[in-house]
Amino acid sequence: MSSPARRLIVVSNRLPLSFSLENGVLKSSPGSGGLISALEPLLKQHGGVWVGSAGTEESSAVHEALAEAARKHAFGYSPVFLTEEEQTNYYEGFSNEVIWPLFHDLQSRCRFDPTFWDFYRRVNEKFADATAAEAGSEDLVWIQDYQLMQVGRFLRSKRPHDRLAFFLHIPFPPPDIYAKLPWRREILESLLEYDLVGLQTGRDQRNFIACVRHFLPKIEIDKIGNGRVLRAQNRSVHVGYFPISIPFRDFEEQAKQAEVEERLRELSEQSGDVRIVLGMDRLDYTKGIPERLRAFGLFLREYPEHRRKVVFYQIVVPSRETIPEYQGLKEEVEQLVTRVNGEFSEPGWTPITYMHRSVPKHELLALYRAADVAVVTPLKDGMNLVAKEYCAARVDGGGTLVLSEFAGAAPEMRGMALMVNPYDETGVARALHQALVMTPQEQKRRMRHLRRHISRFDLNWWRDQFFAAFDAARAETEDGNREAV
Ligand code: GDG
């Protein structure tokens, strides 16, 4: 690790906390989601500041809750407060009804409303102002994800020499899909204001570069190692891919804690000889939950020998509940669970146990350890940390991962996980059967390779790669600045 002798300023849509009232006092608790899982351990190590929204109601109680939470570790919080209108149009609208579906190749779900775009720009400027108030010129400013792609433009215009990096946690779409975005040039141009643009996979980098070639044909593109350097008018922008990962050792350690062991014992006693298949996702149409439930129904139909011998635990964590597409999805999932259970249940056996809530970490780890098979079948996903966490938690070396070939994690896990096309329900049903009849030796062989890979390419590796690329990008910019003088 090189850079972070300097302060790290992480900027993301939300602060990594959620707030609730306890006996009339506002308390914060840790938030969940992939971005938080990855960034929070890094800030705890390095210290610094996290800039992000803290909701729509500014009050002394929120500031006190943040100060209280900050006392527990080495980094501070710098809250941004949004109006209801901003939250609706910038977050629910542009971020989650335009960019999120489009970047996951689901353009028919997009609502290209120009009001959303106005708010997106305005709110991105607000985040840029909050960041500029926080960051010194030597600090590393690291903007996160699709909600904040325009922040670079506003920050650069205010402070041309700042060290700015961006990481996109979701996929970058190919040009024929990206082309649908009415603001396609503005978004690309803003991304070129960073010193480094980080993407999750080689596929995303290829798509991003293809879009730049297509929509900004004057930009020169050089290849350096696996990355690319884009030469815009008077600046260079480095582009690279950095598959995000998990703190493997921490997961392993936590998975062995007494609380987890005890819960695991309870789960094993309850299930007896019945094998456990686990699905664990935020409620999101990109995660392929209805497709997976249909595939599970097909599996019970096509492979009746597994009836009464397997139970499918599907945990769905509530998410983006104010957006209509997500409300419809919840109903669809509930109907499918009822249909499969209605068709196959027998006295003493219900094939699907459905949980619509978040679960505490020790429960999650016990479930990972108890599950004979984890099915991670997104229609498209930036990475998918659940796939990596499942393997890290398998301290016994057992368990089989069924993984979508459209998850960002797929290139790393090919040959070790059972790969499926999530749209191919027959193929997913077959993979479930294959996972359940796999010999323990074969299971262990695959899991050994998976665990070795993730322990080597863990969150620290990701951070080091990213910071090394950031240093290289800045060294070039600073050389360029000296020459210009
Ligand atoms: C985005 C990209 C990319 C979830 N529910 C609970 C819980 N979680 C934790 C999991 C995991 C994380 O949330 C989910 O991460 P994913 O990567 O699977 O998915 P997204 O939230 O969509 O994340 C994704 C990621 O950013 C990072 O770049 O991989 O592609 O979409 O860490 O453990 N944790 C606990 N209880 C829950 O109920 N304790």
Side-chain angles (χ1 to χ4, degrees):
M1 168 186 51
S2 38
S3 282
R6 305 181 184 112
R7 262 186 355 150
L8 188 55
I9 314 288
V10 166
V11 189
S12 73
N13 167 57
R14 294 268 319 168
L15 287 176
L17 296 170
S18 55
F19 299 97
S20 58
L21 271 179
E22 275 174 35
N23 303 325
V25 180
L26 194 72
K27 294 273 178 201
S28 69
S29 54
S32 66
L35 188 151
I36 297 175
S37 302
L39 270 304
E40 195 164 41
L42 295 190
L43 265 177
K44 280 185 177 159
Q45 274 177 19
H46 297 302
V49 179
W50 194 316
V51 180
S53 117
T56 51
E57 279 164 42
E58 181 163 15
S59 64
S60 54
V62 174
H63 287 285
E64 275 158 30
L66 288 173
E68 171 69 29
R71 273 194 280 280
K72 295 185 193 136
H73 44 63
F75 70 91
Y77 301 104
S78 174
V80 176
F81 293 93
L82 303 178
T83 65
E84 295 284 350
E85 213 186 3
E86 285 171 341
Q87 176 73 6
T88 305
N89 289 284
Y90 138 81
Y91 177 69
E92 290 164 16
F94 197 79
S95 302
N96 287 325
E97 293 192 76
V98 178
I99 299 296
W100 178 267
L102 189 75
F103 280 33
H104 287 88
D105 300 353
L106 298 166
Q107 68 255 42
S108 59
R109 292 185 187 254
C110 293
R111 277 213 297 148
F112 296 114
D113 182 336
T115 313
F116 292 168
W117 168 243
D118 287 344
F119 274 91
Y120 184 76
R121 293 182 61 239
R122 260 190 259 168
V123 173
N124 272 230
E125 186 166 16
K126 199 165 173 175
F127 272 85
D129 290 341
T131 307
E134 208 48 71
S137 59
E138 288 298 302
D139 291 339
L140 306 179
V141 176
W142 194 1
I143 313 290
Q144 307 292 325
D145 226 0
Y146 65 104
Q147 302 93 344
L148 301 177
M149 290 185 286
Q150 289 269 310
V151 171
R153 155 169 291 176
F154 294 114
L155 268 177
R156 191 63 83 196
S157 68
K158 289 173 214 290
R159 308 176 26 150
H161 301 299
D162 275 7
R163 298 151 194 280
L164 305 181
F166 178 82
F167 187 76
L168 185 68
H169 291 255
I170 66 173
F172 201 93
D176 54 344
I177 291 180
Y178 185 75
K180 312 276 167 26
L181 184 65
W183 309 281
R184 58 200 185 188
R185 277 182 67 94
E186 288 90 334
I187 293 286
L188 283 180
E189 280 166 356
S190 180
L191 288 173
L192 299 192
E193 298 290 349
Y194 295 97
D195 296 303
L196 172 65
V197 173
L199 300 150
Q200 293 271 26
T201 66
R203 166 198 73 188
D204 302 315
Q205 178 175 293
R206 274 193 303 282
N207 287 343
F208 179 70
I209 295 295
C211 288
V212 171
R213 278 192 210 289
H214 197 85
F215 298 109
L216 303 174
K218 293 207 176 112
I219 303 283
E220 279 176 38
I221 303 174
D222 294 335
K223 187 169 184 293
I224 297 192
N226 284 334
R228 299 287 182 275
V229 182
L230 312 187
R231 315 244 177 234
Q233 277 169 341
N234 48 3
R235 314 179 9 82
S236 305
V237 185
H238 286 227
V239 177
Y241 62 92
F242 310 89
I244 203 164
S245 196
I246 57 166
F248 183 87
R249 296 271 165 250
D250 294 352
F251 256 89
E252 223 183 23
E253 284 311 308
Q254 288 162 6
K256 288 191 265 190
Q257 281 168 357
E259 204 181 8
V260 177
E261 296 279 2
E262 195 185 317
R263 185 68 187 123
L264 174 64
R265 248 190 320 277
E266 281 169 15
L267 285 168
S268 309
E269 273 165 26
Q270 276 160 18
S271 58
D273 290 338
V274 173
R275 321 272 304 274
I276 297 173
V277 174
L278 176 70
M280 156 81 201
D281 315 79
R282 269 191 314 102
L283 181 62
D284 199 297
Y285 50 78
T286 61
K287 301 290 181 185
I289 305 166
E291 292 77 1
R292 187 187 310 155
L293 290 167
R294 279 195 291 272
F296 186 70
L298 190 64
F299 157 77
L300 294 176
R301 210 165 299 128
E302 298 282 313
Y303 303 93
E305 64 272 31
H306 294 292
R307 293 186 199 166
R308 292 175 306 281
K309 295 190 181 130
V310 62
V311 62
F312 180 21
Y313 288 169
Q314 175 63 60
I315 302 173
V316 169
V317 181
S319 178
R320 304 179 190 170
E321 287 169 298
T322 48
I323 301 173
E325 288 268 335
Y326 287 73
Q327 291 155 3
L329 178 66
K330 179 167 177 275
E331 280 156 31
E332 187 184 359
V333 166
E334 284 166 0
Q335 278 168 11
L336 278 163
V337 170
T338 308
R339 203 166 80 201
V340 175
N341 279 344
E343 186 175 344
F344 295 102
S345 289
E346 294 177 22
W349 177 66
T350 308
I352 303 176
T353 300
Y354 167 66
M355 290 161 261
H356 177 250
R357 57 169 180 271
S358 63
V359 292
K361 183 95 176 255
H362 75 274
E363 175 81 8
L364 177 67
L365 288 165
L367 283 161
Y368 283 155
R369 286 196 57 187
D372 297 280
V373 182
V375 249
V376 178
T377 53
L379 305 181
K380 195 156 183 188
D381 216 331
M383 179 53 55
N384 198 297
L385 296 181
V386 169
K388 294 186 174 182
E389 291 170 3
Y390 174 66
C391 302
R394 296 313 303 235
V395 283
D396 62 332
T400 301
L401 177 65
V402 174
L403 181 65
S404 162
E405 53 193 67
F406 307 128
E412 297 177 66
M413 296 183 158
R414 202 158 274 139
M416 303 179 262
L418 293 178
M419 305 304 292
V420 293
N421 169 358
Y423 292 97
D424 173 12
E425 288 164 19
T426 313
V428 175
R430 195 183 319 116
L432 283 172
H433 169 69
Q434 209 184 328
L436 288 163
V437 298
M438 192 181 279
T439 63
Q441 292 84 342
E442 174 64 0
Q443 235 181 50
K444 290 213 148 106
R445 187 188 71 78
R446 286 170 178 263
M447 189 48 80
R448 193 170 54 246
H449 286 297
L450 282 166
R451 285 172 52 78
R452 199 179 292 152
H453 177 90
I454 304 163
S455 75
R456 180 159 171 227
F457 299 100
D458 66 355
L459 188 63
N460 287 343
W461 172 88
W462 176 76
R463 170 204 62 195
D464 291 348
Q465 295 293 306
F466 193 89
F467 287 150
F470 199 3
D471 281 346
R474 278 305 298 186
E476 189 168 325
T477 307
E478 276 148 29
D479 285 350
N481 289 347
R482 267 194 293 279
E483 278 164 27
V485 172

